[in-house]
Amino acid sequence: MITIDPGDIPVVLSGRALLSLRESGHNFPSAVGEVIDNSLESAANNIEILTTTELRNRKKVLSRIAFVDDGSGMDDDTLHHYLQLGFSRRYMSEKTIGKFGVGAKLAGLSVGTRIDAWSRVAGSSEIRHVVFDLDEALRAEENGGTAVISPPDDEPLPTDLGPHFPTGSGTVVMWSKIDRVTDNEGRSTPDHVLVELKKELARIFRAFLGGGIRIKVDGVLLKPHDPTFRQKGTWAEQVLAEHLKATGREVGDLRGQVFHDKIVKVEGTTHEVRVVITLAPPEVVRVKGAGGDALATKLRIPENEGAISFMRLDREINYNLVAKLFPGGVMTKDRYIGFEVHFTPELDRMMGVRNVKRGAVPSDGLRRTLKNIANNVIPGVREEIDRIWGQADRETAKNSGEHNSLAHAIKAADRTMPKARAKPNLTKAQVAREYDNLAKDAGRDKSEEEKAAYVQEIKELPFVIETVDIPGDDLFQLTHLEGQTIIRLNERHVFYQELYEPLRALSKEQNGLSEVPATARRAVQAITLLLVAYAKAESMHETPVDQYKELRKWWGTFTDQYLTKISHIL
Protein backbone atom coordinates (compact mmCIF):
# COMPACT_ATOMS: atom_id res chain seq x y z
CA MET A 1 0.00 0.00 0.00
CA ILE A 2 1.34 3.46 -0.96
CA THR A 3 1.08 6.18 1.67
CA ILE A 4 0.53 9.66 0.23
CA ASP A 5 2.39 12.42 2.01
CA PRO A 6 0.17 15.43 2.77
CA GLY A 7 2.65 17.50 0.82
CA ASP A 8 2.40 15.36 -2.31
CA ILE A 9 0.72 16.78 -5.38
CA PRO A 10 -0.72 15.04 -8.47
CA VAL A 11 1.73 14.35 -11.28
CA VAL A 12 -0.81 15.73 -13.72
CA LEU A 13 -3.62 18.21 -13.33
CA SER A 14 -5.89 16.29 -15.70
CA GLY A 15 -8.11 19.15 -16.80
CA ARG A 16 -5.26 21.56 -17.47
CA ALA A 17 -3.21 18.85 -19.18
CA LEU A 18 -6.14 18.11 -21.50
CA LEU A 19 -6.49 21.83 -22.16
CA SER A 20 -2.87 21.84 -23.34
CA LEU A 21 -3.34 18.63 -25.30
CA ARG A 22 -6.06 20.28 -27.36
CA GLU A 23 -3.11 21.50 -29.45
CA SER A 24 -2.46 17.94 -30.58
CA GLY A 25 -1.76 18.67 -34.22
CA HIS A 26 -5.17 17.68 -35.57
CA ASN A 27 -7.05 19.46 -38.29
CA PHE A 28 -10.75 18.73 -38.69
CA PRO A 29 -10.48 15.81 -41.19
CA SER A 30 -7.73 14.10 -39.19
CA ALA A 31 -9.76 14.46 -35.97
CA VAL A 32 -12.84 12.94 -37.62
CA GLY A 33 -10.66 10.15 -38.98
CA GLU A 34 -9.77 9.03 -35.46
CA VAL A 35 -13.42 8.28 -34.66
CA ILE A 36 -13.85 6.45 -37.96
CA ASP A 37 -10.82 4.33 -37.01
CA ASN A 38 -12.60 3.23 -33.84
CA SER A 39 -15.74 2.39 -35.81
CA LEU A 40 -13.75 0.27 -38.25
CA GLU A 41 -12.01 -1.55 -35.38
CA SER A 42 -15.45 -2.35 -33.94
CA ALA A 43 -16.40 -4.08 -37.23
CA ALA A 44 -18.78 -1.34 -38.41
CA ASN A 45 -19.96 -1.58 -42.01
CA ASN A 46 -21.88 1.69 -41.99
CA ILE A 47 -20.59 4.97 -40.54
CA GLU A 48 -22.59 8.18 -40.61
CA ILE A 49 -21.37 11.68 -39.74
CA LEU A 50 -24.05 14.24 -38.95
CA THR A 51 -23.32 17.93 -38.45
CA THR A 52 -25.38 20.73 -36.94
CA THR A 53 -24.84 24.47 -37.39
CA GLU A 54 -25.95 27.55 -35.50
CA LEU A 55 -25.54 31.30 -35.67
CA ARG A 56 -22.96 32.59 -33.23
CA ASN A 57 -22.36 36.35 -33.20
CA ARG A 58 -24.23 36.45 -36.52
CA LYS A 59 -21.76 33.96 -37.97
CA LYS A 60 -22.69 30.46 -39.10
CA VAL A 61 -20.60 27.86 -37.24
CA LEU A 62 -20.59 24.13 -36.60
CA SER A 63 -22.14 23.50 -33.20
CA ARG A 64 -22.29 19.70 -33.03
CA ILE A 65 -20.83 16.68 -34.82
CA ALA A 66 -22.25 13.19 -34.31
CA PHE A 67 -20.81 9.85 -35.45
CA VAL A 68 -23.08 6.83 -35.78
CA ASP A 69 -21.84 3.31 -36.52
CA ASP A 70 -23.30 -0.20 -36.59
CA GLY A 71 -20.25 -1.82 -35.00
CA SER A 72 -20.17 -4.22 -32.06
CA GLY A 73 -20.78 -1.51 -29.46
CA MET A 74 -19.23 -1.21 -25.99
CA ASP A 75 -20.22 -2.90 -22.75
CA ASP A 76 -20.37 -0.80 -19.58
CA ASP A 77 -16.75 -1.37 -18.59
CA THR A 78 -15.40 -0.48 -22.02
CA LEU A 79 -17.76 2.49 -22.36
CA HIS A 80 -16.70 3.81 -18.94
CA HIS A 81 -13.06 3.74 -20.03
CA TYR A 82 -13.75 4.94 -23.59
CA LEU A 83 -13.02 8.58 -22.72
CA GLN A 84 -10.08 7.77 -20.45
CA LEU A 85 -6.84 9.03 -21.95
CA GLY A 86 -4.47 6.10 -22.53
CA PHE A 87 -7.11 3.35 -22.31
CA SER A 88 -7.28 0.97 -25.26
CA ARG A 89 -8.19 -2.70 -25.61
CA ARG A 90 -5.60 -2.69 -28.41
CA TYR A 91 -2.84 -0.79 -26.59
CA MET A 92 0.42 -0.93 -28.59
CA SER A 93 -1.00 -3.60 -30.87
CA GLU A 94 0.78 -4.02 -34.18
CA LYS A 95 -2.22 -5.60 -35.87
CA THR A 96 -4.78 -2.82 -35.57
CA ILE A 97 -5.34 0.74 -36.79
CA GLY A 98 -5.28 2.23 -33.29
CA LYS A 99 -2.91 1.36 -30.50
CA PHE A 100 -2.14 4.37 -28.29
CA GLY A 101 -5.50 4.89 -26.59
CA VAL A 102 -5.50 8.65 -27.11
CA GLY A 103 -6.58 9.24 -30.72
CA ALA A 104 -10.35 9.67 -30.48
CA LYS A 105 -10.18 11.52 -27.16
CA LEU A 106 -7.64 14.09 -28.32
CA ALA A 107 -9.47 14.33 -31.63
CA GLY A 108 -12.74 15.30 -29.95
CA LEU A 109 -11.08 17.76 -27.58
CA SER A 110 -9.16 19.37 -30.45
CA VAL A 111 -12.54 20.37 -31.91
CA GLY A 112 -14.77 21.02 -28.85
CA THR A 113 -14.80 20.67 -25.07
CA ARG A 114 -17.53 18.03 -24.58
CA ILE A 115 -17.67 14.43 -25.76
CA ASP A 116 -20.73 12.19 -25.27
CA ALA A 117 -20.94 8.53 -26.24
CA TRP A 118 -23.91 6.17 -26.37
CA SER A 119 -23.49 2.48 -27.10
CA ARG A 120 -25.39 -0.81 -27.22
CA VAL A 121 -23.96 -4.29 -27.51
CA ALA A 122 -25.58 -7.21 -29.32
CA GLY A 123 -28.40 -8.86 -27.38
CA SER A 124 -29.04 -5.82 -25.17
CA SER A 125 -32.04 -3.52 -25.26
CA GLU A 126 -30.27 -0.73 -23.36
CA ILE A 127 -28.36 2.16 -24.87
CA ARG A 128 -25.84 3.32 -22.29
CA HIS A 129 -24.22 6.75 -22.07
CA VAL A 130 -20.98 8.32 -20.85
CA VAL A 131 -19.73 11.92 -20.99
CA PHE A 132 -16.64 14.03 -20.43
CA ASP A 133 -16.88 17.82 -20.26
CA LEU A 134 -13.54 19.63 -20.14
CA ASP A 135 -15.10 22.83 -18.79
CA GLU A 136 -16.57 20.90 -15.84
CA ALA A 137 -13.24 19.14 -15.24
CA LEU A 138 -11.44 22.49 -15.07
CA ARG A 139 -14.00 23.85 -12.61
CA ALA A 140 -13.64 20.76 -10.43
CA GLU A 141 -9.87 21.21 -10.26
CA GLU A 142 -10.20 24.92 -9.51
CA ASN A 143 -12.41 23.96 -6.54
CA GLY A 144 -9.84 21.46 -5.25
CA GLY A 145 -11.49 18.40 -6.75
CA THR A 146 -10.37 15.88 -9.38
CA ALA A 147 -11.36 15.52 -13.01
CA VAL A 148 -13.19 12.19 -13.33
CA ILE A 149 -15.38 10.22 -15.72
CA SER A 150 -18.60 9.03 -14.09
CA PRO A 151 -19.90 5.48 -14.70
CA PRO A 152 -22.26 4.92 -17.65
CA ASP A 153 -25.84 6.10 -17.20
CA ASP A 154 -29.14 5.90 -19.07
CA GLU A 155 -29.25 9.45 -20.43
CA PRO A 156 -31.20 9.17 -23.69
CA LEU A 157 -29.92 10.10 -27.10
CA PRO A 158 -30.82 13.55 -28.38
CA THR A 159 -34.21 13.28 -30.08
CA ASP A 160 -32.91 13.96 -33.58
CA LEU A 161 -30.22 11.26 -33.31
CA GLY A 162 -32.58 8.51 -32.14
CA PRO A 163 -33.76 7.52 -35.66
CA HIS A 164 -30.14 7.16 -36.80
CA PHE A 165 -29.14 4.62 -34.13
CA PRO A 166 -28.82 1.08 -35.58
CA THR A 167 -31.51 -1.47 -34.71
CA GLY A 168 -28.88 -3.79 -33.27
CA SER A 169 -25.50 -3.03 -31.75
CA GLY A 170 -23.80 0.27 -32.44
CA THR A 171 -22.34 3.47 -31.07
CA VAL A 172 -22.98 7.20 -31.29
CA VAL A 173 -20.20 9.66 -30.42
CA MET A 174 -21.13 13.33 -30.20
CA TRP A 175 -18.82 16.33 -30.05
CA SER A 176 -20.33 19.58 -28.80
CA LYS A 177 -19.25 22.95 -27.37
CA ILE A 178 -17.29 23.22 -30.61
CA ASP A 179 -14.90 26.15 -30.80
CA ARG A 180 -12.09 25.26 -33.18
CA VAL A 181 -12.96 23.65 -36.50
CA THR A 182 -10.52 24.54 -39.29
CA ASP A 183 -8.85 23.06 -42.32
CA ASN A 184 -5.09 23.08 -42.97
CA GLU A 185 -5.18 26.77 -43.90
CA GLY A 186 -7.23 27.87 -40.92
CA ARG A 187 -10.50 28.42 -42.80
CA SER A 188 -13.52 27.62 -40.64
CA THR A 189 -16.78 28.30 -42.48
CA PRO A 190 -19.01 25.18 -42.23
CA ASP A 191 -19.56 24.89 -45.98
CA HIS A 192 -15.82 24.99 -46.68
CA VAL A 193 -14.68 22.63 -43.94
CA LEU A 194 -17.36 20.08 -44.84
CA VAL A 195 -16.29 20.08 -48.49
CA GLU A 196 -12.69 19.57 -47.39
CA LEU A 197 -13.79 16.89 -44.93
CA LYS A 198 -15.49 14.84 -47.65
CA LYS A 199 -12.46 15.16 -49.93
CA GLU A 200 -10.00 14.13 -47.23
CA LEU A 201 -12.02 11.22 -45.88
CA ALA A 202 -12.60 9.90 -49.40
CA ARG A 203 -8.83 9.72 -49.88
CA ILE A 204 -7.79 8.65 -46.35
CA PHE A 205 -10.23 5.71 -46.25
CA ARG A 206 -10.25 4.93 -49.98
CA ALA A 207 -9.32 1.27 -49.50
CA PHE A 208 -12.22 0.72 -47.08
CA LEU A 209 -14.69 2.65 -49.25
CA GLY A 210 -13.56 0.64 -52.25
CA GLY A 211 -13.99 -2.56 -50.27
CA GLY A 212 -17.63 -1.85 -49.44
CA ILE A 213 -17.53 0.09 -46.14
CA ARG A 214 -20.09 2.90 -46.33
CA ILE A 215 -19.23 6.33 -44.92
CA LYS A 216 -21.78 9.14 -45.18
CA VAL A 217 -21.40 12.82 -44.35
CA ASP A 218 -24.76 14.53 -43.85
CA GLY A 219 -26.43 11.91 -46.03
CA VAL A 220 -23.84 12.01 -48.83
CA LEU A 221 -22.25 8.61 -49.48
CA LEU A 222 -18.51 9.07 -50.07
CA LYS A 223 -16.86 7.64 -53.15
CA PRO A 224 -13.19 6.66 -52.78
CA HIS A 225 -10.61 9.08 -54.13
CA ASP A 226 -7.49 7.27 -55.32
CA PRO A 227 -4.53 9.47 -56.43
CA THR A 228 -2.93 6.42 -58.05
CA PHE A 229 -5.98 5.77 -60.28
CA ARG A 230 -5.83 2.01 -59.59
CA GLN A 231 -9.18 1.53 -57.84
CA LYS A 232 -12.48 1.14 -59.62
CA GLY A 233 -15.66 2.93 -58.61
CA THR A 234 -13.83 6.10 -57.58
CA TRP A 235 -14.79 9.76 -57.60
CA ALA A 236 -12.38 10.40 -60.50
CA GLU A 237 -13.81 7.53 -62.53
CA GLN A 238 -17.30 9.01 -62.18
CA VAL A 239 -16.14 12.52 -63.10
CA LEU A 240 -14.15 11.26 -66.10
CA ALA A 241 -16.98 9.07 -67.37
CA GLU A 242 -19.41 12.00 -67.22
CA HIS A 243 -16.89 14.24 -68.99
CA LEU A 244 -16.20 11.75 -71.78
CA LYS A 245 -19.89 11.07 -72.36
CA ALA A 246 -20.64 14.80 -72.46
CA THR A 247 -17.96 15.27 -75.13
CA GLY A 248 -19.17 12.30 -77.18
CA ARG A 249 -16.21 10.05 -76.47
CA GLU A 250 -16.12 6.38 -75.55
CA VAL A 251 -15.63 5.45 -71.90
CA GLY A 252 -12.99 2.74 -71.55
CA ASP A 253 -10.77 1.52 -68.74
CA LEU A 254 -9.96 4.65 -66.75
CA ARG A 255 -7.37 3.15 -64.44
CA GLY A 256 -3.80 4.41 -64.27
CA GLN A 257 -0.65 2.79 -65.63
CA VAL A 258 1.47 1.05 -62.98
CA PHE A 259 5.22 1.68 -63.30
CA HIS A 260 6.29 0.19 -59.96
CA ASP A 261 4.49 -2.05 -57.48
CA LYS A 262 6.96 -4.03 -55.41
CA ILE A 263 7.79 -4.94 -51.84
CA VAL A 264 11.27 -3.58 -51.13
CA LYS A 265 13.69 -3.87 -48.24
CA VAL A 266 14.42 -0.64 -46.38
CA GLU A 267 18.09 0.23 -46.63
CA GLY A 268 20.04 -0.68 -43.50
CA THR A 269 17.17 -2.66 -41.93
CA THR A 270 15.38 -5.99 -42.21
CA HIS A 271 12.04 -4.20 -42.71
CA GLU A 272 10.03 -4.16 -45.91
CA VAL A 273 7.57 -1.70 -47.41
CA ARG A 274 5.47 -1.79 -50.53
CA VAL A 275 6.06 1.07 -52.98
CA VAL A 276 3.61 1.88 -55.77
CA ILE A 277 4.22 4.48 -58.50
CA THR A 278 1.60 5.06 -61.19
CA LEU A 279 0.60 7.46 -63.94
CA ALA A 280 -2.92 8.79 -64.37
CA PRO A 281 -4.70 7.56 -67.52
CA PRO A 282 -4.28 9.51 -70.79
CA GLU A 283 -7.82 10.87 -70.36
CA VAL A 284 -6.47 12.75 -67.33
CA VAL A 285 -2.99 13.66 -68.64
CA ARG A 286 -4.58 14.92 -71.88
CA VAL A 287 -2.54 17.88 -73.22
CA LYS A 288 0.15 20.11 -71.80
CA GLY A 289 -1.16 23.05 -69.82
CA ALA A 290 -4.44 21.37 -68.82
CA GLY A 291 -3.28 20.31 -65.36
CA GLY A 292 -4.98 23.21 -63.62
CA ASP A 293 -8.18 23.59 -65.62
CA ALA A 294 -11.72 22.94 -64.38
CA LEU A 295 -11.63 19.19 -65.08
CA ALA A 296 -8.20 18.74 -63.46
CA THR A 297 -9.33 20.68 -60.40
CA LYS A 298 -12.47 18.57 -60.11
CA LEU A 299 -10.28 15.45 -60.33
CA ARG A 300 -8.05 16.93 -57.57
CA ILE A 301 -4.99 16.72 -59.80
CA PRO A 302 -3.19 19.95 -58.71
CA GLU A 303 -3.06 18.88 -55.05
CA ASN A 304 -1.28 15.66 -56.09
CA GLU A 305 1.84 17.45 -57.36
CA GLY A 306 4.79 15.74 -55.66
CA ALA A 307 2.60 14.32 -52.89
CA ILE A 308 3.40 10.90 -51.43
CA SER A 309 0.68 8.86 -49.75
CA PHE A 310 1.74 6.82 -46.72
CA MET A 311 -0.68 3.95 -46.12
CA ARG A 312 -0.70 2.23 -42.71
CA LEU A 313 -2.86 -0.93 -42.75
CA ASP A 314 -4.62 0.49 -45.85
CA ARG A 315 -5.47 3.71 -43.97
CA GLU A 316 -3.68 6.84 -45.21
CA ILE A 317 -1.88 8.69 -42.43
CA ASN A 318 -0.03 11.28 -44.51
CA TYR A 319 -0.33 12.80 -47.97
CA ASN A 320 2.32 15.40 -48.52
CA LEU A 321 5.66 16.32 -50.07
CA VAL A 322 8.85 14.64 -48.88
CA ALA A 323 11.73 17.02 -49.49
CA LYS A 324 14.30 16.17 -52.18
CA LEU A 325 12.70 12.88 -53.15
CA PHE A 326 11.69 13.48 -56.76
CA PRO A 327 14.69 13.51 -59.15
CA GLY A 328 15.58 17.06 -60.12
CA GLY A 329 12.90 18.41 -57.79
CA VAL A 330 9.14 18.36 -58.18
CA MET A 331 7.86 19.40 -61.61
CA THR A 332 4.40 20.55 -62.64
CA LYS A 333 3.89 17.34 -64.64
CA ASP A 334 4.41 15.31 -61.46
CA ARG A 335 0.84 16.08 -60.42
CA TYR A 336 -0.17 13.18 -62.69
CA ILE A 337 2.08 10.72 -60.80
CA GLY A 338 0.68 8.60 -57.97
CA PHE A 339 3.17 7.60 -55.26
CA GLU A 340 2.14 5.27 -52.39
CA VAL A 341 4.14 3.70 -49.57
CA HIS A 342 2.42 0.87 -47.68
CA PHE A 343 3.66 -0.27 -44.26
CA THR A 344 2.48 -2.05 -41.12
CA PRO A 345 2.33 -0.71 -37.53
CA GLU A 346 5.56 -2.41 -36.42
CA LEU A 347 7.33 0.21 -38.60
CA ASP A 348 5.64 3.14 -36.82
CA ARG A 349 8.82 4.32 -35.16
CA MET A 350 10.78 4.17 -38.40
CA MET A 351 7.99 6.04 -40.16
CA GLY A 352 7.76 8.75 -37.51
CA VAL A 353 4.08 7.97 -36.85
CA ARG A 354 2.61 10.03 -34.03
CA ASN A 355 -0.18 9.09 -31.67
CA VAL A 356 -2.62 11.20 -33.66
CA LYS A 357 -1.89 9.14 -36.81
CA ARG A 358 -1.25 12.29 -38.78
CA GLY A 359 2.03 12.88 -40.54
CA ALA A 360 4.90 10.56 -41.39
CA VAL A 361 8.57 11.51 -41.55
CA PRO A 362 10.52 8.62 -43.08
CA SER A 363 13.76 7.57 -41.44
CA ASP A 364 17.02 8.20 -43.28
CA GLY A 365 17.17 4.60 -44.50
CA LEU A 366 13.64 4.67 -45.86
CA ARG A 367 14.21 8.09 -47.42
CA ARG A 368 17.26 6.75 -49.26
CA THR A 369 15.29 3.68 -50.36
CA LEU A 370 12.41 5.80 -51.71
CA LYS A 371 14.79 8.26 -53.37
CA ASN A 372 16.59 5.42 -55.16
CA ILE A 373 13.27 4.03 -56.44
CA ALA A 374 12.13 7.51 -57.49
CA ASN A 375 15.38 8.11 -59.38
CA ASN A 376 14.94 4.84 -61.27
CA VAL A 377 11.21 5.06 -62.01
CA ILE A 378 10.02 8.67 -62.21
CA PRO A 379 12.11 9.73 -65.24
CA GLY A 380 10.36 6.99 -67.22
CA VAL A 381 6.95 8.17 -66.01
CA ARG A 382 7.83 11.74 -67.04
CA GLU A 383 8.87 10.50 -70.47
CA GLU A 384 5.49 8.80 -70.86
CA ILE A 385 3.76 12.08 -69.94
CA ASP A 386 5.84 13.83 -72.62
CA ARG A 387 4.91 11.10 -75.11
CA ILE A 388 1.17 11.52 -74.37
CA TRP A 389 1.47 15.29 -74.67
CA GLY A 390 3.51 15.01 -77.87
CA GLN A 391 0.95 12.67 -79.42
CA ALA A 392 -1.87 15.05 -78.48
CA ASP A 393 0.04 17.97 -79.96
CA ARG A 394 0.64 16.10 -83.20
CA GLU A 395 -3.01 15.08 -83.43
CA THR A 396 -4.25 18.62 -82.91
CA ALA A 397 -1.22 20.57 -84.17
CA LYS A 398 -1.72 22.53 -80.95
CA ASN A 399 1.45 24.61 -81.09
CA SER A 400 1.75 24.95 -84.84
CA GLY A 401 1.49 28.54 -85.95
CA GLU A 402 1.40 29.95 -82.41
CA HIS A 403 4.35 32.21 -83.27
CA ASN A 404 3.04 33.25 -86.70
CA SER A 405 2.14 36.83 -85.86
CA LEU A 406 5.52 37.44 -84.26
CA ALA A 407 7.36 35.78 -87.17
CA HIS A 408 5.61 38.01 -89.72
CA ALA A 409 6.30 41.12 -87.65
CA ILE A 410 9.97 40.14 -87.50
CA LYS A 411 9.98 39.67 -91.28
CA ALA A 412 8.87 43.28 -91.73
CA ALA A 413 11.46 44.55 -89.25
CA ASP A 414 14.23 42.43 -90.76
CA ARG A 415 14.08 44.24 -94.13
CA THR A 416 16.23 47.09 -92.80
CA MET A 417 18.57 44.96 -90.67
CA PRO A 418 21.88 43.27 -91.61
CA LYS A 419 21.38 40.11 -93.62
CA ALA A 420 22.44 36.62 -92.55
CA ARG A 421 25.88 35.38 -93.57
CA ALA A 422 25.40 31.67 -92.75
CA LYS A 423 26.47 29.40 -95.64
CA PRO A 424 24.99 25.96 -95.04
CA ASN A 425 25.69 24.82 -98.63
CA LEU A 426 22.63 22.53 -98.70
CA THR A 427 21.27 20.99 -101.86
CA LYS A 428 17.64 21.54 -102.88
CA ALA A 429 16.85 17.98 -101.77
CA GLN A 430 18.38 18.63 -98.34
CA VAL A 431 16.41 21.87 -97.94
CA ALA A 432 13.22 20.06 -98.95
CA ARG A 433 13.97 17.37 -96.35
CA GLU A 434 14.44 20.06 -93.68
CA TYR A 435 11.01 21.46 -94.52
CA ASP A 436 9.48 17.98 -94.49
CA ASN A 437 10.97 17.31 -91.05
CA LEU A 438 9.72 20.65 -89.72
CA ALA A 439 6.20 20.00 -91.05
CA LYS A 440 6.24 16.63 -89.28
CA ASP A 441 7.53 18.16 -86.02
CA ALA A 442 4.81 20.81 -86.18
CA GLY A 443 2.07 18.29 -86.90
CA ARG A 444 1.34 19.79 -90.31
CA ASP A 445 1.92 16.68 -92.45
CA LYS A 446 -1.41 14.85 -92.23
CA SER A 447 -1.66 15.08 -96.01
CA GLU A 448 0.60 16.14 -98.86
CA GLU A 449 -1.68 19.12 -99.45
CA GLU A 450 -1.41 20.29 -95.83
CA LYS A 451 2.38 19.88 -95.87
CA ALA A 452 2.76 21.77 -99.14
CA ALA A 453 0.60 24.62 -97.83
CA TYR A 454 2.66 24.81 -94.66
CA VAL A 455 5.98 24.90 -96.53
CA GLN A 456 4.65 27.61 -98.84
CA GLU A 457 3.52 29.59 -95.77
CA ILE A 458 6.94 29.63 -94.10
CA LYS A 459 9.33 29.77 -97.05
CA GLU A 460 9.62 33.53 -97.21
CA LEU A 461 10.05 34.11 -93.48
CA PRO A 462 13.57 34.93 -92.25
CA PHE A 463 12.78 33.12 -88.99
CA VAL A 464 10.41 30.18 -88.49
CA ILE A 465 9.56 29.42 -84.87
CA GLU A 466 7.92 26.17 -83.81
CA THR A 467 7.41 24.56 -80.42
CA VAL A 468 8.29 20.89 -80.79
CA ASP A 469 9.18 17.79 -78.80
CA ILE A 470 12.98 17.32 -78.73
CA PRO A 471 14.69 14.59 -76.69
CA GLY A 472 17.60 15.80 -74.57
CA ASP A 473 18.30 19.00 -72.67
CA ASP A 474 18.55 21.49 -75.56
CA LEU A 475 16.54 24.60 -74.76
CA PHE A 476 16.14 25.16 -78.49
CA GLN A 477 17.66 24.00 -81.76
CA LEU A 478 18.60 26.15 -84.77
CA THR A 479 18.72 25.07 -88.41
CA HIS A 480 20.34 27.66 -90.70
CA LEU A 481 19.21 27.63 -94.32
CA GLU A 482 20.09 30.14 -97.03
CA GLY A 483 18.66 33.42 -95.69
CA GLN A 484 16.44 31.68 -93.18
CA THR A 485 16.78 30.20 -89.66
CA ILE A 486 14.42 27.60 -88.23
CA ILE A 487 14.03 27.82 -84.43
CA ARG A 488 12.70 24.75 -82.66
CA LEU A 489 11.75 25.57 -79.06
CA ASN A 490 11.98 22.40 -76.96
CA GLU A 491 8.76 21.74 -75.03
CA ARG A 492 10.52 19.04 -72.98
CA HIS A 493 13.01 21.48 -71.46
CA VAL A 494 12.35 22.49 -67.86
CA PHE A 495 12.43 26.18 -68.86
CA TYR A 496 9.53 25.63 -71.25
CA GLN A 497 7.54 23.45 -68.84
CA GLU A 498 8.02 25.46 -65.67
CA LEU A 499 8.08 29.04 -67.04
CA TYR A 500 7.21 29.43 -70.71
CA GLU A 501 4.21 27.08 -70.86
CA PRO A 502 2.49 28.44 -67.71
CA LEU A 503 2.86 31.98 -69.12
CA ARG A 504 1.51 30.78 -72.45
CA ALA A 505 -1.52 29.14 -70.78
CA LEU A 506 -2.13 32.27 -68.72
CA SER A 507 -1.99 34.43 -71.85
CA LYS A 508 -4.89 32.50 -73.35
CA GLU A 509 -7.27 33.03 -70.42
CA GLN A 510 -10.42 34.96 -71.23
CA ASN A 511 -10.77 37.60 -68.54
CA GLY A 512 -11.85 41.02 -69.64
CA LEU A 513 -11.47 42.43 -66.14
CA SER A 514 -7.81 41.53 -65.73
CA GLU A 515 -4.58 42.72 -67.34
CA VAL A 516 -2.86 39.45 -66.47
CA PRO A 517 -3.45 37.63 -69.82
CA ALA A 518 -2.15 40.63 -71.79
CA THR A 519 0.93 40.86 -69.56
CA ALA A 520 1.53 37.13 -69.97
CA ARG A 521 1.28 37.46 -73.78
CA ARG A 522 3.89 40.23 -73.77
CA ALA A 523 6.16 38.09 -71.58
CA VAL A 524 5.84 35.12 -73.96
CA GLN A 525 6.57 37.33 -76.97
CA ALA A 526 9.53 38.95 -75.21
CA ILE A 527 11.09 35.56 -74.39
CA THR A 528 10.54 34.38 -77.96
CA LEU A 529 12.03 37.59 -79.31
CA LEU A 530 15.16 37.02 -77.24
CA LEU A 531 15.56 33.61 -78.91
CA VAL A 532 15.06 35.18 -82.36
CA ALA A 533 17.64 37.86 -81.57
CA TYR A 534 20.11 35.18 -80.55
CA ALA A 535 19.37 33.21 -83.73
CA LYS A 536 19.90 36.41 -85.76
CA ALA A 537 23.25 36.99 -84.07
CA GLU A 538 24.32 33.41 -84.74
CA SER A 539 23.30 33.67 -88.41
CA MET A 540 25.80 36.49 -88.88
CA HIS A 541 28.61 33.90 -88.79
CA GLU A 542 29.36 31.93 -91.93
CA THR A 543 29.64 28.62 -90.06
CA PRO A 544 27.36 29.06 -87.05
CA VAL A 545 26.96 25.35 -86.30
CA ASP A 546 30.71 24.83 -85.91
CA GLN A 547 31.05 28.07 -83.98
CA TYR A 548 28.09 27.96 -81.59
CA LYS A 549 26.77 24.41 -81.27
CA GLU A 550 28.60 23.77 -77.98
CA LEU A 551 27.55 27.17 -76.64
CA ARG A 552 23.87 26.36 -77.31
CA LYS A 553 24.24 22.94 -75.70
CA TRP A 554 25.75 24.39 -72.52
CA TRP A 555 23.15 27.15 -72.46
CA GLY A 556 20.34 24.60 -72.39
CA THR A 557 22.11 22.41 -69.81
CA PHE A 558 22.89 25.27 -67.43
CA THR A 559 19.40 26.73 -67.75
CA ASP A 560 18.00 23.32 -66.77
CA GLN A 561 20.34 23.02 -63.80
CA TYR A 562 19.76 26.53 -62.48
CA LEU A 563 15.99 26.24 -62.75
CA THR A 564 16.04 22.90 -60.97
CA LYS A 565 18.29 24.13 -58.17
CA ILE A 566 16.41 27.38 -57.49
CA SER A 567 12.86 26.25 -58.31
CA HIS A 568 11.81 27.03 -54.73
CA ILE A 569 12.06 30.78 -55.35
CA LEU A 570 10.54 30.86 -58.85
Side-chain angles (χ1 to χ4, degrees), residues 281-293:
E283 292 84 355
V284 176
V285 178
R286 295 178 293 156
V287 297
K288 186 179 297 180
D293 66 8

Side-chain angles (χ1 to χ4, degrees), residues 474-493:
D474 288 333
L475 174 57
F476 59 91
Q477 290 182 349
L478 301 182
T479 303
H480 295 283
L481 305 179
E482 191 74 36
Q484 184 182 60
T485 300
I486 295 170
I487 304 171
R488 289 177 169 89
L489 179 58
N490 186 7
E491 63 182 17
R492 284 197 189 190
H493 196 279

Side-chain angles (χ1 to χ4, degrees), residues 39-50:
S39 296
L40 294 173
E41 293 290 2
S42 71
N45 291 327
N46 295 279
I47 303 164
E48 190 169 10
I49 301 165
L50 302 164

Side-chain angles (χ1 to χ4, degrees), residues 250-268:
E250 184 178 343
V251 179
D253 187 351
L254 299 176
R255 281 177 292 184
Q257 181 179 350
V258 178
F259 280 75
H260 186 279
D261 186 354
K262 295 178 182 176
I263 295 174
V264 298
K265 184 170 287 188
V266 178
E267 183 180 323

Side-chain angles (χ1 to χ4, degrees), residues 14 137 140-141 144-148:
S14 304
E141 285 185 350
T146 305
V148 298

Side-chain angles (χ1 to χ4, degrees), residues 28-196:
F28 186 46
S30 72
V32 169
E34 294 284 353
V35 183
I36 295 175
D37 288 340
N38 283 353
S39 296
L40 294 173
E41 293 290 2
S42 71
N45 291 327
N46 295 279
I47 303 164
E48 190 169 10
I49 301 165
L50 302 164
T51 66
T52 307
T53 60
E54 68 180 17
L55 285 176
R56 194 179 297 163
N57 297 324
R58 294 194 292 182
K59 181 181 178 182
K60 185 180 178 183
V61 297
L62 281 171
S63 59
R64 192 189 75 181
I65 302 146
F67 306 83
V68 184
D69 73 48
D70 62 354
S72 57
M74 293 179 274
D75 59 25
D76 266 21
D77 183 57
T78 305
L79 183 61
H80 191 191
H81 288 84
Y82 170 69
L83 297 176
Q84 183 183 40
L85 204 66
F87 171 81
S88 175
R89 298 289 187 198
R90 302 176 295 274
Y91 185 69
M92 298 309 291
S93 168
E94 293 185 345
K95 301 182 183 299
T96 56
I97 297 175
K99 70 177 186 178
F100 295 107
V102 298
K105 295 87 162 174
L106 291 184
L109 292 175
S110 74
V111 170
T113 59
R114 180 181 172 106
I115 307 174
D116 289 82
W118 291 264
S119 196
R120 178 168 61 198
V121 295
S124 173
S125 60
E126 294 183 333
I127 298 176
R128 302 286 279 164
H129 166 259
V130 71
V131 61
F132 178 76
D133 189 309
L134 180 57
D135 297 329
E136 292 179 3
L138 290 169
R139 281 195 294 271
E141 285 185 350
E142 288 171 1
N143 295 324
T146 305
V148 298
I149 300 168
S150 298
D153 56 44
D154 293 319
E155 181 177 323
L157 279 160
T159 305
D160 61 313
L161 293 180
H164 294 274
F165 199 93
T167 55
S169 62
T171 298
V172 170
V173 175
M174 186 177 78
W175 297 345
S176 57
K177 293 188 177 181
I178 291 171
D179 58 355
R180 44 173 73 184
V181 170
T182 63
D183 67 357
N184 282 319
E185 282 75 43
R187 289 173 287 186
S188 61
T189 60
D191 290 345
H192 173 78
V193 296
L194 289 174
V195 167
E196 290 301 305

